[in-house]
Amino acid sequence: MRRVALLGAGALFATALAVPAATADAAPAADCAAADAAIYQPPASVTAVPGTVLACRRVDALPLVGDVPLTAWKVQYASTDGRGRPVAVSGTVVVPRAAWTGPGERPLVAFAPGTLGIGPQCAFSKQLAGEYQDAYEGGNIAALLRAGYAVAATDGAGYLDGQVHPYVSGADAGHALLDIARAAPRVPGSGLSAAAPVGLWGYSEGGAGSLWAAQLARSYAPGLNVVGVASGGVPGDLKVVARSLDGGAFAGFLLDAVIGMATTHPEMPFDELLDEEGRTAVRDAKTLCLVGTLARFAGGRTENYTRDRLTLDQIFAVRGPDGRTWGQIVETNKLGTGVGPAGSGARHEIRFPVLQYRGLLDEVIPAETEEATRRAYCDARVPTQWNTYLGDHLLADFQAVDDVVKWLGDRFAGRPMPGNC
């Protein structure tokens, strides 16, 4: 059983007519006849409001999801990066072919995938469509579709041509997830309503992204009818996670995180800290997905990639031109700070129930940070349900699927959730 768990965890983190992409002078997509390449071509500029569909394309099948009858579109949509600048992001919108028989409008689940790697071929939309295979959450999407729910799965920012994914940047991830939920009803032929109830869901990297979306929903997307968020395997405190990953089997994800932070903060010292081995590692990481990342960087330590053999804590102490340290920048991505329930006046008011969960044998995300994020929500009186599963990091994702789909269904039905803080 332990061998299966370890192999599973390795697989998790290691494993028509063309229309131009929108520019400052181009109108948002009026149909879904874009060439596949147009979905991943960055616009010259983005002037449309967040959630606008910039380009879309019907997808014939989603092999990763299986044989569930569905209609799907790849989309490029307008969003906002972590610094408030307009960007374009790619993703997938999927609607079951079976008619919705429940009350009201068909619910929508905005889905943030777990770690895929930062190579351009790793984008979840490409993997869902069978263009590359290293992802593992097709069953999560299938379970939502079988329940009758539509799905809007973001790739996350940085998967367009020539870009770098801002891995574990909270605001980037939260904005991208909220904006694909806004974009989904605007996809021609989707039949979805902007007034439909929306659930947020993600695990691991997606767990952090979905919880950031929950924290930002009221201020960034107040018009979305978000009724609940389910977030599992959450790396809530990146400093704690980084120290655990450094030198271990999953060190590649620390390298991806460092690259993600350098991408979102280009003014900070980065390249000048690296030695030649470090520069080679960064170049390689930008081409790899899960399995390649895990295999290439297993056991890697930060001091082996820097000119002065800097430790992780020494890197955290490095200051940028404005006086801030890398450690302070990493701290801005800590989940559970400034949260509160509706009417609390907190910086991040969360006006809907929260489900958090983890595997008791998680060997990737330290238990202390997952527990601390849960405690922060409970202490802030945010309605919170906490579930645990007897599995490692990968297995817990699979073990939780049925519970999460049922939990989201209860939120769509308006049932109360007392929580178990």
Side-chain angles (χ1 to χ4, degrees):
M1 178 64 181
R2 181 58 179 163
R3 182 171 181 271
V4 171
L6 288 172
L7 288 173
L12 162 65
F13 286 107
T15 23
L17 297 175
V19 297
T23 67
D25 301 317
D31 56 30
C32 285
D36 189 73
I39 301 299
Y40 304 102
Q41 178 184 344
S45 63
V46 179
T47 58
V49 298
T52 299
V53 177
L54 303 177
C56 55
R57 172 184 176 81
R58 278 285 296 270
V59 181
D60 293 333
L62 299 179
L64 191 64
V65 174
D67 58 359
V68 182
L70 55 83
T71 305
W73 301 260
K74 284 186 176 183
V75 296
Q76 183 188 106
Y77 60 97
S79 188
T80 309
D81 73 9
R83 293 190 164 190
R85 300 169 297 195
V87 293
V89 180
S90 53
T92 308
V93 173
V94 194
V95 179
R97 288 186 185 169
W100 172 246
T101 58
E105 302 290 347
R106 184 191 297 272
L108 172 70
V109 177
F111 186 83
T115 298
L116 298 172
I118 60 177
Q121 75 276 21
C122 312
F124 196 47
S125 60
K126 294 180 180 180
Q127 300 211 41
L128 284 172
E131 297 159 33
Y132 185 88
Q133 188 49 65
D134 190 86
Y136 49 90
E137 292 183 305
N140 303 46
I141 306 298
L144 292 169
L145 297 173
R146 291 191 185 100
Y149 311 139
V151 179
T154 184
D155 290 343
Y159 283 107
L160 303 189
D161 296 343
Q163 298 179 348
V164 178
H165 177 51
Y167 185 63
V168 299
S169 173
D172 286 90
H175 292 165
L177 189 60
L178 293 167
D179 284 328
I180 199 168
R182 293 199 268 203
R186 298 172 177 173
V187 173
S190 72
L192 301 175
S193 169
V198 174
L200 310 173
W201 185 14
Y203 187 83
S204 194
E205 180 191 355
S210 59
L211 208 53
W212 267 109
Q215 293 190 173
L216 296 170
R218 178 176 176 269
S219 60
Y220 181 72
L224 271 181
N225 181 21
V226 181
V227 298
V229 58
S231 303
V234 177
D237 186 331
L238 296 183
K239 281 187 173 180
V240 172
V241 178
R243 292 185 178 111
S244 175
L245 294 176
D246 197 21
F250 302 97
F253 304 113
L254 173 56
L255 179 58
D256 280 356
V258 169
I259 295 169
M261 290 290 107
T263 298
T264 56
H265 294 83
E267 76 284 0
M268 290 293 292
F270 179 60
D271 187 68
E272 59 266 43
L273 302 180
L274 302 175
D275 61 12
E276 191 54 40
E277 184 177 353
R279 293 189 181 95
T280 299
V282 168
R283 286 195 297 270
D284 289 351
K286 290 179 179 179
T287 70
L288 297 171
C289 297
L290 272 69
V291 173
T293 299
L294 184 66
R296 168 70 172 83
F297 302 109
R301 300 197 66 87
T302 54
E303 53 260 44
N304 295 333
Y305 299 134
T306 56
R307 287 190 313 173
D308 299 319
R309 295 191 61 82
L310 299 175
T311 66
L312 193 57
D313 284 336
Q314 287 173 322
I315 292 172
F316 286 152
V318 171
R319 294 188 181 275
D322 64 356
R324 287 191 303 167
T325 66
W326 268 122
Q328 289 170 322
I329 288 172
V330 173
E331 284 283 341
T332 64
N333 290 278
K334 185 176 180 178
L335 282 157
T337 61
V339 298
S344 65
R347 177 160 51 98
H348 300 307
E349 279 192 19
I350 300 177
R351 302 186 169 192
F352 41 80
V354 174
L355 168 64
Q356 295 184 42
Y357 57 100
R358 62 176 291 260
L360 294 172
L361 303 178
D362 195 324
E363 74 283 55
V364 180
I365 308 300
E368 64 179 286
T369 184
E370 295 180 280
E371 294 277 0
T373 303
R374 184 271 298 243
R375 286 197 304 272
Y377 271 67
C378 288
D379 291 347
R381 297 179 291 108
V382 176
T384 302
Q385 173 73 34
W386 175 248
N387 289 355
T388 58
Y389 297 90
L390 189 59
D392 69 356
H393 194 74
L394 175 64
L395 294 178
D397 188 6
F398 299 157
Q399 290 167 332
V401 169
D402 290 344
D403 289 342
V404 171
V405 173
K406 181 181 184 304
W407 187 89
L408 288 170
D410 287 342
R411 306 291 74 77
F412 294 143
R415 299 186 182 98
M417 191 212 74
N420 60 355
C421 282

